[in-house]
Amino acid sequence: GESVGLHLPTLSVQEGDNSIINCAYSNSASDYFIWYKQESGKGPQFIIDIRSNMDKRQGQRVTVLLNKTVKHLSLQIAATQPGDSAVYFCAENNYGQNFVFGPGTRLSVLP
Amino acid sequence: EAQVTQNPRYLITVTGKKLTVTCSQNMNHEYMSWYRQDPGLGLRQIYYSMNVEVTDKGDVPEGYKVSRKEKRNFPLILESPSPNQTSLYFCASSFSGAGNSPLHFGNGTRLTVT
């Protein structure tokens, strides 16, 4: 069945460097994608979303890239800070009523 | 403050003892949903509701019930909890359905069934 996956389960970056978190999706019909951040003891927090009619969307220090040809989604975090340490999920909208979530990537920011 | 509120945050119970986890949102969202989060399995949808009195099964509905009598509340009911329902549960809401706007999540309820 359709699923959303992440290439790297853990990612460690130096403070101040840029982070790139990747996600592969399998449903070519999906048209809405979201990145979430989950800190310990909290629920997932919305970071940024993108629709399939876009290739790129920027927020504050974050950029999401969508490559529909290879069904790939990435989240770029500029100048990574200690507060960015968390688990990051991508989510793919599946026929309108449900999101399919990946297992998550843990981002660790090294001092 | 716009938020999704779940209660309780932690719950330990025994097999077969009925329980309810409450969820309330103050954003006037039409869509609400329950998820469970298990290591290695990610977030899986249990039930969702498009509006008052409209509910439908998600991917893992067995052993759960929900109701949507009011727009703001969406309780999750476990009539006869079993140990395989030990998990971290999240309630979420969105303005107009999963495909149109992002989900806003509560802070979770950690349930242990012994």
Side-chain angles (χ1 to χ4, degrees):
Chain A
E2 287 88 19
S3 65
V4 173
L6 295 170
H7 295 302
L8 299 173
T10 59
L11 177 65
S12 297
V13 297
Q14 291 292 138
E15 182 178 352
D17 287 351
N18 297 335
S19 303
I20 300 176
I21 301 172
N22 296 304
C23 174
Y25 65 95
S26 59
N27 185 354
S28 58
S30 293
D31 62 359
Y32 184 48
F33 305 87
I34 300 180
W35 280 101
Y36 284 95
K37 172 186 181 183
Q38 187 175 19
E39 297 174 280
S40 180
K42 296 184 178 180
Q45 177 186 0
F46 170 82
I47 301 173
I48 192 167
D49 59 1
I50 188 168
R51 296 199 178 275
S52 59
N53 61 353
M54 302 173 68
D55 297 323
K56 178 180 180 179
R57 192 167 188 217
Q58 288 183 293
Q60 186 177 11
R61 282 200 309 118
V62 295
T63 301
V64 56
L65 298 177
L66 176 62
N67 186 331
K68 295 180 287 293
T69 302
V70 295
K71 291 184 285 187
H72 185 266
L73 191 70
S74 68
L75 177 70
Q76 301 178 0
I77 304 174
T80 311
Q81 302 170 358
D84 295 327
S85 293
V87 175
Y88 290 81
F89 301 92
C90 63
E92 164 191 14
N93 178 247
N94 187 7
Y95 298 114
Q97 304 311 325
N98 190 13
F99 278 101
V100 177
F101 291 86
T105 292
R106 181 172 300 281
L107 176 65
S108 295
V109 181
L110 307 174
Chain B
E1 178 187 356
Q3 60 186 1
V4 178
T5 303
Q6 297 177 229
N7 280 296
R9 288 295 307 275
Y10 301 92
L11 181 57
I12 301 174
T13 191
V14 296
T15 298
K17 185 176 182 181
K18 180 179 178 180
L19 66 90
T20 300
V21 184
T22 64
C23 174
S24 180
Q25 51 91 8
N26 62 1
M27 296 169 279
N28 201 36
H29 284 171
E30 291 186 349
Y31 180 93
M32 298 186 74
S33 183
W34 276 101
Y35 291 84
R36 60 179 289 173
Q37 186 177 41
D38 301 290
L41 296 176
L43 286 158
R44 294 180 293 167
Q45 190 180 51
I46 303 171
Y47 268 95
Y48 66 93
S49 170
M50 294 297 293
N51 213 324
V52 175
E53 301 292 0
V54 180
T55 64
D56 211 342
K57 296 178 180 179
D59 296 323
V60 288
E62 293 76 22
Y64 304 94
K65 287 175 56 177
V66 293
S67 68
R68 187 90 182 274
K69 293 182 169 54
E70 305 165 283
K71 197 171 188 178
R72 64 184 292 125
N73 296 323
F74 191 46
L76 179 69
I77 303 157
L78 284 71
E79 294 273 3
S80 182
S82 62
N84 64 11
Q85 292 178 299
T86 293
S87 187
L88 180 58
Y89 291 87
F90 288 102
C91 181
S93 71
S94 73
F95 181 69
S96 61
N100 298 313
S101 55
L103 291 166
H104 298 262
F105 285 85
N107 279 328
T109 295
R110 185 167 293 281
L111 172 65
T112 302
V113 183
T114 62

